[in-house]
Amino acid sequence: MPHRRPAVLATVSAFALAGPLLMAVQPAGAQPSAPGVQRPATVEEAQREFEARTPQRYRDQDLAWTPCTPAQIGVLNALVGGLECAQVAVPRDWNAPEEGDPLQVTISRVPQAGPRPQRSIITNPGGPGGAGLTLATLGSSIPALAATEVIGLDVRGTGASSPLTCGGDLTSAYGALPDPHDRSPEALALTAKVVQAAADACADDPLKDVVNTRQTVLDVDLVRDALDRDTIDWVGYSGGTWLGTQFATQLPGRVGRFVLDSTVDATAGYEQVFSYQPMAFQRRFEQDYAPWVAAGNSVYGLGSTGEEVVATYDRLRADLAARPLEIPGLPLDGTVLDALVAQSMYSGSSFGQLSWLLSGVQLLHDLRGPADAQAPAALSSSVAALARALAPAPSAAESQTATFAATTCNDSPWNRSQEHWNAVGDEQGAKYPLLGYGQSAQICAYWDRADLRLPEVDGADLPPLLIVQSRHDPATAYEGAVKTHEALGSSILLTVEDEGDHGIYGMGNACVDDVVDAFLTTGAAPAGDLSCEGVGLPPVTGGSGEDLLAKVLRAARAGSSI
């Protein structure tokens, strides 16, 4: 059975249904050197460096494994059972490791009978800042990994680890953002006010300056020591590829078998990392989704060509921006509709539900007419149910939103001019209207960061690393993955053709799974770059949306007098 799709590189600002993405006109790349960052190339060198930087009280920790609690992994996951959790004490600040009270980093595993496996795979779901304890179930859901110890991890700042919360106000602060398509001076001024308030909410959090990738890399190395391993293997998805490439660059002597799935452009700063997204989401929407739904026009009624589908969406979006639909539990405006579409682009398995939703919205639009007539309750409830099914899962804690902001803002410099970001939003919105206008909302433009310089990513002294990337990935564009591949000279690129899903390994592509399984279990890397075919998009009929659509149609008939 494929495991649950991991967390993904965030698109919508602070995970709110608000203005999305980040953009760079003048990208701030990673620096060629970073003071205090050594690059031990062998296990022996790495151990000497580890002992030099790590106070004795943090070394050789005894892990106390106990069943994970609902507070750590959620009520439903805890009810299913099977996961054990342990905590690793880490220095609050690796720049002054003897000072301050320790932080706690929580890890997880599926307990295994018999002798302990010879290797450990540490996993990361992305975000950055996504909670990752449940990703330890890779070991039980992928048969080839059954004899391997798979470790889940909540990085510092998030989930069940020591939390960064920004006072608990970050998500609510983002909720006040205006429609990013509104380019009036008043709307842009409000956008600036909201994102500055979000940055201010984090300013006084005591962990604000110590939640960054450099600190997390050293935490992961301390987890390695607590697991009593000389090296670690790695499966990182999305934002977890940024962390994985930085670990490999900073500590090459600790690198085992690294898999980077849905890879960011790790050669640049986060400002540039997110600059690909407006283009990539628009490409996925126009080149993959729109032709697919057009082929099912007899079912969905959204247009007989891709161009007609896009025009239908633009018309519905404009109408909702002017006159939001009040459906049960979810006021549906243009910004929310953009977010639902963006969320659906991550996986072709969501295309059907999205199409039922848009069909229902179109029906609601037609029924209410210019006089805002009341729609049948059953119709509104059906559309609301589809919207809730497609909406991003709410963050398990404010800490995930805050850790995303702290990591992306602390790791690399950002342009701090609101006028710059307004111009970027204008430019990108004109080219890529699905998400481009949201570039004006940038918390990092108001974030006061320390002078952190991460080292430039390269493949020196590294064993083979395996990069897995689909051609039309919307969140981590193929073009960025290629740059990472070129920078990591030892890497091998596995391209998934005719595919746009984000997060490929373990999701049902047998060709990809066979290659990655062989690499993780035997160390056998492909001789060179290679490709697999994608699994294809689902049929245009059937799926969980069909019954809901039937309800919509019945409700429409019942309300035909409206």
Side-chain angles (χ1 to χ4, degrees), residues 401-417:
T401 303
T403 300
F404 168 79
T407 304
T408 54
C409 296
N410 283 333
D411 272 11
S412 53
W414 286 73
N415 191 303
R416 295 177 63 84
S417 165

PDB file of all heavy atoms in Angstrom, residues 401-417:
ATOM      1  N   THR A 401       3.658  26.418  11.109  1.00  0.00           N
ATOM      2  CA  THR A 401       3.634  27.669  10.365  1.00  0.00           C
ATOM      3  C   THR A 401       4.813  28.547  10.761  1.00  0.00           C
ATOM      4  O   THR A 401       5.485  29.141   9.908  1.00  0.00           O
ATOM      5  CB  THR A 401       2.314  28.408  10.626  1.00  0.00           C
ATOM      6  OG1 THR A 401       1.230  27.571  10.264  1.00  0.00           O
ATOM      7  CG2 THR A 401       2.241  29.698   9.829  1.00  0.00           C
ATOM      8  N   ALA A 402       5.074  28.636  12.060  1.00  0.00           N
ATOM      9  CA  ALA A 402       6.163  29.484  12.543  1.00  0.00           C
ATOM     10  C   ALA A 402       7.520  28.945  12.108  1.00  0.00           C
ATOM     11  O   ALA A 402       8.427  29.719  11.746  1.00  0.00           O
ATOM     12  CB  ALA A 402       6.101  29.591  14.068  1.00  0.00           C
ATOM     13  N   THR A 403       7.701  27.627  12.120  1.00  0.00           N
ATOM     14  CA  THR A 403       8.979  27.041  11.725  1.00  0.00           C
ATOM     15  C   THR A 403       9.223  27.227  10.236  1.00  0.00           C
ATOM     16  O   THR A 403      10.358  27.452   9.797  1.00  0.00           O
ATOM     17  CB  THR A 403       9.023  25.551  12.111  1.00  0.00           C
ATOM     18  OG1 THR A 403       8.869  25.448  13.529  1.00  0.00           O
ATOM     19  CG2 THR A 403      10.340  24.911  11.708  1.00  0.00           C
ATOM     20  N   PHE A 404       8.165  27.137   9.445  1.00  0.00           N
ATOM     21  CA  PHE A 404       8.300  27.447   8.018  1.00  0.00           C
ATOM     22  C   PHE A 404       8.828  28.869   7.830  1.00  0.00           C
ATOM     23  O   PHE A 404       9.775  29.110   7.073  1.00  0.00           O
ATOM     24  CB  PHE A 404       6.952  27.285   7.320  1.00  0.00           C
ATOM     25  CG  PHE A 404       6.920  27.851   5.926  1.00  0.00           C
ATOM     26  CD1 PHE A 404       7.456  27.147   4.869  1.00  0.00           C
ATOM     27  CD2 PHE A 404       6.367  29.098   5.671  1.00  0.00           C
ATOM     28  CE1 PHE A 404       7.439  27.663   3.580  1.00  0.00           C
ATOM     29  CE2 PHE A 404       6.343  29.625   4.396  1.00  0.00           C
ATOM     30  CZ  PHE A 404       6.884  28.910   3.350  1.00  0.00           C
ATOM     31  N   ALA A 405       8.214  29.826   8.517  1.00  0.00           N
ATOM     32  CA  ALA A 405       8.629  31.220   8.373  1.00  0.00           C
ATOM     33  C   ALA A 405      10.061  31.420   8.856  1.00  0.00           C
ATOM     34  O   ALA A 405      10.882  32.052   8.170  1.00  0.00           O
ATOM     35  CB  ALA A 405       7.676  32.133   9.146  1.00  0.00           C
ATOM     36  N   ALA A 406      10.392  30.887  10.017  1.00  0.00           N
ATOM     37  CA  ALA A 406      11.726  31.103  10.577  1.00  0.00           C
ATOM     38  C   ALA A 406      12.807  30.486   9.691  1.00  0.00           C
ATOM     39  O   ALA A 406      13.849  31.098   9.445  1.00  0.00           O
ATOM     40  CB  ALA A 406      11.803  30.533  11.996  1.00  0.00           C
ATOM     41  N   THR A 407      12.579  29.288   9.200  1.00  0.00           N
ATOM     42  CA  THR A 407      13.595  28.620   8.392  1.00  0.00           C
ATOM     43  C   THR A 407      13.811  29.349   7.072  1.00  0.00           C
ATOM     44  O   THR A 407      14.948  29.623   6.674  1.00  0.00           O
ATOM     45  CB  THR A 407      13.190  27.161   8.120  1.00  0.00           C
ATOM     46  OG1 THR A 407      12.970  26.491   9.374  1.00  0.00           O
ATOM     47  CG2 THR A 407      14.280  26.431   7.354  1.00  0.00           C
ATOM     48  N   THR A 408      12.724  29.667   6.380  1.00  0.00           N
ATOM     49  CA  THR A 408      12.878  30.307   5.080  1.00  0.00           C
ATOM     50  C   THR A 408      13.438  31.723   5.206  1.00  0.00           C
ATOM     51  O   THR A 408      14.188  32.179   4.332  1.00  0.00           O
ATOM     52  CB  THR A 408      11.537  30.345   4.323  1.00  0.00           C
ATOM     53  OG1 THR A 408      10.539  30.954   5.149  1.00  0.00           O
ATOM     54  CG2 THR A 408      11.094  28.949   3.948  1.00  0.00           C
ATOM     55  N   CYS A 409      13.100  32.414   6.285  1.00  0.00           N
ATOM     56  CA  CYS A 409      13.594  33.785   6.457  1.00  0.00           C
ATOM     57  C   CYS A 409      15.003  33.831   7.029  1.00  0.00           C
ATOM     58  O   CYS A 409      15.789  34.728   6.696  1.00  0.00           O
ATOM     59  CB  CYS A 409      12.656  34.585   7.356  1.00  0.00           C
ATOM     60  SG  CYS A 409      10.990  34.836   6.693  1.00  0.00           S
ATOM     61  N   ASN A 410      15.341  32.890   7.906  1.00  0.00           N
ATOM     62  CA  ASN A 410      16.664  32.906   8.542  1.00  0.00           C
ATOM     63  C   ASN A 410      17.770  32.350   7.659  1.00  0.00           C
ATOM     64  O   ASN A 410      18.925  32.759   7.771  1.00  0.00           O
ATOM     65  CB  ASN A 410      16.628  32.093   9.849  1.00  0.00           C
ATOM     66  CG  ASN A 410      15.970  32.830  10.993  1.00  0.00           C
ATOM     67  OD1 ASN A 410      15.966  34.053  11.037  1.00  0.00           O
ATOM     68  ND2 ASN A 410      15.403  32.074  11.938  1.00  0.00           N
ATOM     69  N   ASP A 411      17.444  31.409   6.784  1.00  0.00           N
ATOM     70  CA  ASP A 411      18.486  30.685   6.059  1.00  0.00           C
ATOM     71  C   ASP A 411      19.245  31.547   5.061  1.00  0.00           C
ATOM     72  O   ASP A 411      20.419  31.289   4.783  1.00  0.00           O
ATOM     73  CB  ASP A 411      17.882  29.478   5.322  1.00  0.00           C
ATOM     74  CG  ASP A 411      17.831  28.233   6.198  1.00  0.00           C
ATOM     75  OD1 ASP A 411      18.067  28.354   7.417  1.00  0.00           O
ATOM     76  OD2 ASP A 411      17.550  27.147   5.661  1.00  0.00           O
ATOM     77  N   SER A 412      18.571  32.530   4.466  1.00  0.00           N
ATOM     78  CA  SER A 412      19.221  33.308   3.408  1.00  0.00           C
ATOM     79  C   SER A 412      18.558  34.677   3.318  1.00  0.00           C
ATOM     80  O   SER A 412      17.413  34.853   3.731  1.00  0.00           O
ATOM     81  CB  SER A 412      19.131  32.571   2.065  1.00  0.00           C
ATOM     82  OG  SER A 412      17.795  32.213   1.779  1.00  0.00           O
ATOM     83  N   PRO A 413      19.266  35.666   2.752  1.00  0.00           N
ATOM     84  CA  PRO A 413      18.721  37.032   2.690  1.00  0.00           C
ATOM     85  C   PRO A 413      17.533  37.148   1.740  1.00  0.00           C
ATOM     86  O   PRO A 413      17.393  36.386   0.787  1.00  0.00           O
ATOM     87  CB  PRO A 413      19.905  37.864   2.177  1.00  0.00           C
ATOM     88  CG  PRO A 413      21.112  37.014   2.387  1.00  0.00           C
ATOM     89  CD  PRO A 413      20.659  35.600   2.267  1.00  0.00           C
ATOM     90  N   TRP A 414      16.699  38.147   2.008  1.00  0.00           N
ATOM     91  CA  TRP A 414      15.543  38.474   1.179  1.00  0.00           C
ATOM     92  C   TRP A 414      15.547  39.968   0.871  1.00  0.00           C
ATOM     93  O   TRP A 414      16.015  40.780   1.670  1.00  0.00           O
ATOM     94  CB  TRP A 414      14.246  38.148   1.917  1.00  0.00           C
ATOM     95  CG  TRP A 414      13.943  36.681   2.003  1.00  0.00           C
ATOM     96  CD1 TRP A 414      14.559  35.752   2.791  1.00  0.00           C
ATOM     97  CD2 TRP A 414      12.942  35.984   1.280  1.00  0.00           C
ATOM     98  NE1 TRP A 414      14.004  34.514   2.605  1.00  0.00           N
ATOM     99  CE2 TRP A 414      12.994  34.633   1.683  1.00  0.00           C
ATOM    100  CE3 TRP A 414      11.988  36.367   0.344  1.00  0.00           C
ATOM    101  CZ2 TRP A 414      12.138  33.663   1.158  1.00  0.00           C
ATOM    102  CZ3 TRP A 414      11.139  35.409  -0.168  1.00  0.00           C
ATOM    103  CH2 TRP A 414      11.212  34.061   0.241  1.00  0.00           C
ATOM    104  N   ASN A 415      15.001  40.318  -0.261  1.00  0.00           N
ATOM    105  CA  ASN A 415      14.773  41.729  -0.562  1.00  0.00           C
ATOM    106  C   ASN A 415      13.776  42.290   0.452  1.00  0.00           C
ATOM    107  O   ASN A 415      12.726  41.707   0.688  1.00  0.00           O
ATOM    108  CB  ASN A 415      14.236  41.882  -1.991  1.00  0.00           C
ATOM    109  CG  ASN A 415      14.244  43.329  -2.454  1.00  0.00           C
ATOM    110  OD1 ASN A 415      13.655  44.201  -1.837  1.00  0.00           O
ATOM    111  ND2 ASN A 415      14.928  43.581  -3.557  1.00  0.00           N
ATOM    112  N   ARG A 416      14.088  43.450   1.027  1.00  0.00           N
ATOM    113  CA  ARG A 416      13.277  43.991   2.113  1.00  0.00           C
ATOM    114  C   ARG A 416      12.433  45.196   1.688  1.00  0.00           C
ATOM    115  O   ARG A 416      11.901  45.923   2.545  1.00  0.00           O
ATOM    116  CB  ARG A 416      14.182  44.351   3.298  1.00  0.00           C
ATOM    117  CG  ARG A 416      14.858  43.115   3.902  1.00  0.00           C
ATOM    118  CD  ARG A 416      15.809  43.494   5.031  1.00  0.00           C
ATOM    119  NE  ARG A 416      15.131  44.107   6.152  1.00  0.00           N
ATOM    120  CZ  ARG A 416      14.536  43.451   7.142  1.00  0.00           C
ATOM    121  NH1 ARG A 416      14.528  42.124   7.127  1.00  0.00           N
ATOM    122  NH2 ARG A 416      13.953  44.093   8.132  1.00  0.00           N
ATOM    123  N   SER A 417      12.276  45.388   0.409  1.00  0.00           N
ATOM    124  CA  SER A 417      11.501  46.513  -0.095  1.00  0.00           C
ATOM    125  C   SER A 417      10.093  46.057  -0.475  1.00  0.00           C
ATOM    126  O   SER A 417       9.931  45.199  -1.352  1.00  0.00           O
ATOM    127  CB  SER A 417      12.193  47.128  -1.318  1.00  0.00           C
ATOM    128  OG  SER A 417      11.309  47.987  -2.009  1.00  0.00           O
TER     129      SER A 417
END
